[in-house]
Amino acid sequence: MSLTFTTVIGLEIHVQLNTRTKLFCGCSTDYIGATPNTNICPLCTGQPGTLPVLNERVVELGVRAGLALGCTINRVTRFDRKNYFYPDLPKAYQISEFYVPLAEKGEVTVTGDDGKPYKVGITRLHLEEDAGKLVHGASDGRIVGSTQSFVDYNRSSVPLAEIVSEPDITSPRMAKEYVATLRQMVRYLGVSDGDMEKGSMRVDANISLKVSDGRWGNRVEVKNMNSLRALERALEFEIRRQGAILSDGGEIHQETRNWDDSAGETSSSRSKEESNDYRYFTEPDLPPLVLSDSYIEDIERDLPELPWEKKARYERDFDLPQDDISVLTEQKDLAEYFEACVKAGASPARASNWIRTEVLRVLNERGGHISEFSLSPAALVELLRMVEGKKLSTTAAKEVFDAMVSREISLKEAIDACGVTAGNLSGDGLASLVQSVLEANGDVVEVIRSCDDKKDKKRKFLQGQVMKEARGQADPREVAKILDIELPR
């Protein structure tokens, strides 16, 4: 009988918290693109005699995230020292919450492998400081092929919230959805920008396989995945690799492996440490962190509507397809733009359609964010009213929309600039337009008059030219009648 495998995945996600200063000093957290080793001080470079001072904003953001995850917030917590040596850690220890995390025992709902809602347990959320960063001399920035490496401490002591899941995840797809859900949540909360490519959200995956004959493979930690797609591919690779070893009767080494996105494979990095290896002990330079009930209740009252709550409300209040709801609620600002359009009088379906096709098209082309979009919801609704009132065709309205956005002008100014006539083009105006199209296409007219247009292809071509020139503002049936008069069959 062939062996089968059950996949067991737990994720550790480091979320860089959205503060202006670091966890224990006043240095800037804006290290992306900064000159190396400029946002540093004696404390975040581990100089002897310095004392850490806890950033209150970090605690507030950590509590916000913990509450959104449905966690219990511990009223008394404390920081510990995690001891290890690495060149980017000048103190040779990291200040972290190990024994008593800020929050624990929450859950996140994703779609299970059977298509039904599935709860992934949250073990803990704890606060800790980030390490510095090694910069290698190879052309691709990797250590392989480098002859020299440098240390940049700008990132040293930047605040992180580490969110650790229970080993409840059973497939790469589910892991990807879980991370996407957490990323959306921290963005809604304003806790972090959740940008995986920039490293402000980093995912480490612990994966093992249970064999149908009762054996268990050792746990492997996978790092260096900087996108959701990379996470999914890395886990798929590990399932294949571990499955092949176990099928041959081999043993999985407990280790940390790095994902190489270009090669599409993981490679061994180092043996996996256990918590005992870090010799944790209580940080002696920081007092216990005590949080009152009123402090936590104030933060809880200030929580925004969470993305899964918003999706449920959209399903209840708006008759929209699931794909539309997913797109509209992906970003909090985009959802607010949509709701402002509906509040201003647009139908949910038309507003959703225009935001998905036109607004997001422009934002994608320009690389902008909806918060910077020049067209207000009220102005978009003004345009949509003309479409609904059949004063502008969809074709003409899109042309007017582009003019309003690119030139930042009013609806009336855009209509004038595009040369569009509000209302249907008909009667003498339409007849004149048909005549101009016939004059511009004399060779086609000659074919029709010589009775060589057996299948009406040339006649339909002329009709299409008229509709194009009318920007969709003419009735196709009236155009056909005028053509029949001008070009009798």
Side-chain angles (χ1 to χ4, degrees), residues 319-330:
D319 186 20
L320 294 174
Q322 279 298 321
D323 285 350
D324 283 32
I325 292 175
S326 295
V327 171
L328 293 172
T329 57
E330 175 60 29

Side-chain angles (χ1 to χ4, degrees), residues 278-425:
Y278 293 114
R279 302 294 191 269
Y280 283 96
F281 65 86
T282 301
E283 166 59 57
D285 291 334
L286 285 168
L289 176 61
V290 180
L291 305 177
S292 67
D293 289 345
S294 61
Y295 173 81
I296 295 169
E297 288 165 3
D298 286 346
I299 294 175
E300 189 166 22
R301 274 194 295 272
D302 194 42
L303 287 179
E305 183 181 38
L306 296 169
W308 43 86
E309 295 170 340
K310 192 179 289 291
K311 280 184 180 177
R313 181 166 62 83
Y314 278 27
E315 290 172 356
R316 187 177 63 246
D317 294 350
F318 307 123
D319 186 20
L320 294 174
Q322 279 298 321
D323 285 350
D324 283 32
I325 292 175
S326 295
V327 171
L328 293 172
T329 57
E330 175 60 29
Q331 302 174 41
K332 182 167 173 278
D333 290 344
L334 187 66
E336 290 173 349
Y337 188 93
F338 164 74
E339 291 188 40
C341 288
V342 174
K343 189 175 181 181
S347 74
R350 192 175 294 276
S352 172
N353 182 45
W354 272 73
I355 289 171
R356 288 194 62 184
T357 57
E358 301 306 313
V359 174
L360 290 182
R361 171 182 62 80
V362 171
L363 292 175
N364 288 333
E365 289 172 355
R366 298 183 176 187
H369 187 268
I370 187 65
S371 61
E372 304 159 353
F373 193 54
S374 60
L375 191 65
S376 69
L380 177 60
V381 172
E382 190 181 7
L383 174 63
L384 298 187
R385 283 201 184 103
M386 295 199 72
V387 177
E388 289 177 340
K390 301 189 182 305
K391 294 179 180 177
L392 282 180
S393 67
T394 300
T395 302
K398 290 180 178 178
E399 189 176 345
V400 171
F401 170 85
D402 283 339
M404 294 173 74
V405 173
S406 61
R407 300 166 67 175
E408 298 188 15
I409 56 180
S410 69
L411 174 60
K412 183 178 183 308
E413 290 169 331
I415 289 174
D416 292 342
C418 295
V420 174
T421 303
N424 280 336
L425 183 62

Side-chain angles (χ1 to χ4, degrees), residues 182 227 391:
L182 284 193
S227 69
K391 294 179 180 177

Side-chain angles (χ1 to χ4, degrees), residues 109 176-194 201 228 304-311 325-332 335:
T109 301
K176 180 181 175 183
E177 183 182 338
Y178 169 82
V179 175
T181 302
L182 284 193
R183 183 177 64 178
Q184 187 184 40
M185 183 200 77
V186 298
R187 288 174 172 172
Y188 262 64
L189 294 171
V191 163
S192 172
D193 64 18
M201 187 168 183
L228 293 175
E305 183 181 38
L306 296 169
W308 43 86
E309 295 170 340
K310 192 179 289 291
K311 280 184 180 177
I325 292 175
S326 295
V327 171
L328 293 172
T329 57
E330 175 60 29
Q331 302 174 41
K332 182 167 173 278

Side-chain angles (χ1 to χ4, degrees), residues 425 429-446 448 458-471 479 482-483 486-487:
L425 183 62
L430 182 58
S432 176
L433 178 62
V434 170
Q435 193 60 46
S436 66
V437 169
L438 296 181
E439 290 172 2
N441 295 274
D443 55 336
V444 178
V445 170
E446 186 61 32
I448 296 174
K458 299 298 183 183
R459 187 178 295 272
K460 289 177 181 175
F461 167 76
L462 291 175
Q463 186 173 358
Q465 291 300 302
V466 173
M467 293 302 296
K468 180 181 177 183
E469 292 298 320
R471 296 180 173 87
V479 173
I482 296 174
L483 283 174
E486 296 293 332
L487 302 170

